[in-house]
Amino acid sequence: MKLKGDETMEMLILTKAEMEQVMTMREVIEGDKEALAAYSKGDADIPLRTNIAVNKYGGQSLYMPGYVQSADSLGLKIVSVYPENVKKGITSVPGSMILLNAQTGEVKALMDATFLTQLRTGAVSGAATDLLARKDSSVFALIGTGGQAQAQLEAVLAVRPIKEVKIFSPTAEHAAAFAKKMQALFAEKYGVNITAVGSYDEAVKDADIITAVTTAKEPVFNADSVKKGAHINGVGSYMPDMQELPEEILQRAGKIYVDTRDGVLNESGDIIKPVEAGRFSHDRITGELGELVLQKTTGRETAEEITVFKTTGSAVLDLVIAEKIYAAAVAQGLGTVISM
Ligand SMILES: NC(=O)c1ccc[n+]([C@@H]2O[C@H](COP(=O)([O-])OP(=O)(O)OC[C@H]3O[C@@H](n4cnc5c(N)ncnc54)[C@H](O)[C@@H]3O)[C@@H](O)[C@H]2O)c1
């Protein structure tokens, strides 16, 4: 506890292992709903990301600041992309989240943003699935087995009574190893059977929920394989040349939600490519997920309609979840405090 006149600053350092202990996936999902509602209400100040090219080392450093008034969360996420790091045996996408005390402007916490990003991104698909998928959904298809995939899987398992998960990625060994690891982690906890399958369409056929979380530049499944009433999360495409969702599925969907209009309409090839081809228009977007949380828009209306959620991510999710993790860690006495 600081006394008046004491000018030292106290900062809490949180590692991934500590962050993993403080919140359940269900709690993070509810946190993401709060964050998107705050964003859609205009309660969040999220300036444009600043990108710095560090050409000397072939790197890019990205700075994502923001303030969410209702959550009193002020901070900055720094994520860098250094492809050459792989040769050095270190992560190519190092990330840190800095949280400030909104009342004083002092830095109060530093935490692992690689894990924070996985958690809040999984949870945002979980939030959309909770709000849009049929309640009786039991088969889940996951396409992509990279860094984001585990949190994407757990988020869906946390909100629907899934019995069967079918996993596909282009490298069969990756998919098999990932499925085995996930089966060991989640089979008992969620009463589910998780296996790798040999093709996109085998994964998607019969699936009630589909999540695509890849770096693909072309659609990763065939719209004709998607059954009526399915819910689809599109997570990967965040640049105009990236695409995972077949445009026919957007045309067929009854409702299409996005995390932020700004992000998705300006950045994602899933929307930009069909719009540029003249086969889709922005007025087909039903709304932001935050508007659905605020009950300003309508969710699923029939068991047959296809629902789609597209996310490109937003600092509002990082800020709200980081603040909740910080508060929970302080309450549980976790982390390392340093004085400066
Ligand atoms: N929406 C968000 O907020 C958000 C947040 C974080 C990451 N992302 C994006 O999600 C994507 C996945 O992230 P990651 O960290 O898991 O990436 P990663 O590089 O670790 O893994 C990529 C995965 O995509 C698969 N893949 C690539 N091309 C494919 C294709 N044509 N068909 C099927 N699978 C294919 C790979 O096999 C691999 O499993 C990236 O594009 C990333 O930028 C989005």
Side-chain angles (χ1 to χ4, degrees), residues 117-118 120-121 124 143-149 152 168-171 174 200 212-220 234-238 242 244 259 310-314 317:
T117 303
Q118 292 165 353
R120 61 77 151 158
T121 307
V124 85
I143 301 179
T145 56
Q148 304 298 323
Q152 292 293 327
F168 179 78
S169 84
T171 318
H174 282 177
Y200 302 107
V213 58
T214 75
T215 46
K217 297 196 167 178
E218 303 290 337
V220 296
V235 182
S237 156
Y238 71 97
M242 294 173 82
E244 298 175 303
D259 54 354
K310 173 61 204 155
T311 166
T312 49
S314 165
L317 302 169

Side-chain angles (χ1 to χ4, degrees), residues 286-334:
T286 317
E288 290 180 338
L289 200 65
E291 294 166 337
L292 182 58
V293 176
L294 294 166
Q295 298 184 332
K296 289 189 170 163
T297 47
T298 315
R300 167 179 293 279
E301 288 175 291
T302 71
E304 279 77 42
E305 83 177 326
I306 288 175
T307 54
V308 172
F309 172 64
K310 173 61 204 155
T311 166
T312 49
S314 165
V316 77
L317 302 169
D318 298 307
L319 287 161
V320 170
I321 300 306
E323 188 67 37
K324 286 181 185 294
I325 288 175
Y326 169 77
V330 170
Q332 295 174 33
L334 281 169

Side-chain angles (χ1 to χ4, degrees), residues 41-212:
K41 248 196 291 193
D43 180 41
D45 183 1
I46 309 293
L48 272 184
R49 184 176 66 199
T50 300
N51 300 352
I52 298 179
V54 190
N55 294 332
K56 186 175 171 190
Y57 300 105
Q60 274 258 343
S61 200
L62 318 176
Y63 298 79
M64 289 166 260
Y67 175 51
V68 187
Q69 198 166 296
S70 52
D72 241 352
S73 178
L74 174 67
L76 169 70
K77 184 165 91 169
I78 306 174
V79 176
S80 297
V81 185
Y82 274 63
E84 295 295 309
N85 279 3
V86 175
K87 292 182 199 150
K88 300 175 193 154
I90 54 179
T91 175
S92 58
V93 199
S96 301
M97 178 82 200
I98 297 166
L99 267 189
L100 280 71
N101 180 327
Q103 287 176 30
T104 64
E106 294 170 302
V107 170
K108 66 179 184 185
L110 176 68
M111 63 182 78
D112 177 346
T114 305
F115 179 62
L116 175 68
T117 303
Q118 292 165 353
L119 196 61
R120 61 77 151 158
T121 307
V124 85
S125 293
T129 303
D130 196 27
L131 292 163
L132 291 167
R134 288 193 342 269
K135 297 269 186 247
D136 63 350
S137 299
S138 64
V139 179
F140 174 44
L142 178 65
I143 301 179
T145 56
Q148 304 298 323
Q150 179 175 328
Q152 292 293 327
L153 169 58
E154 184 167 16
V156 169
L157 297 180
V159 297
R160 285 296 181 269
I162 302 296
K163 295 277 161 270
E164 191 187 355
V165 178
K166 295 186 284 181
I167 291 176
F168 179 78
S169 84
T171 318
E173 308 86 74
H174 282 177
F178 178 79
K180 194 172 166 202
K181 187 173 162 206
M182 294 303 107
Q183 175 76 1
L185 273 178
F186 297 133
E188 205 174 316
K189 183 171 178 188
Y190 292 104
V192 63
N193 188 39
I194 303 171
T195 51
V197 296
S199 72
Y200 302 107
D201 288 331
E202 205 183 321
V204 164
K205 184 169 61 80
D206 305 327
D208 301 304
I209 300 167
I210 301 161
T211 295

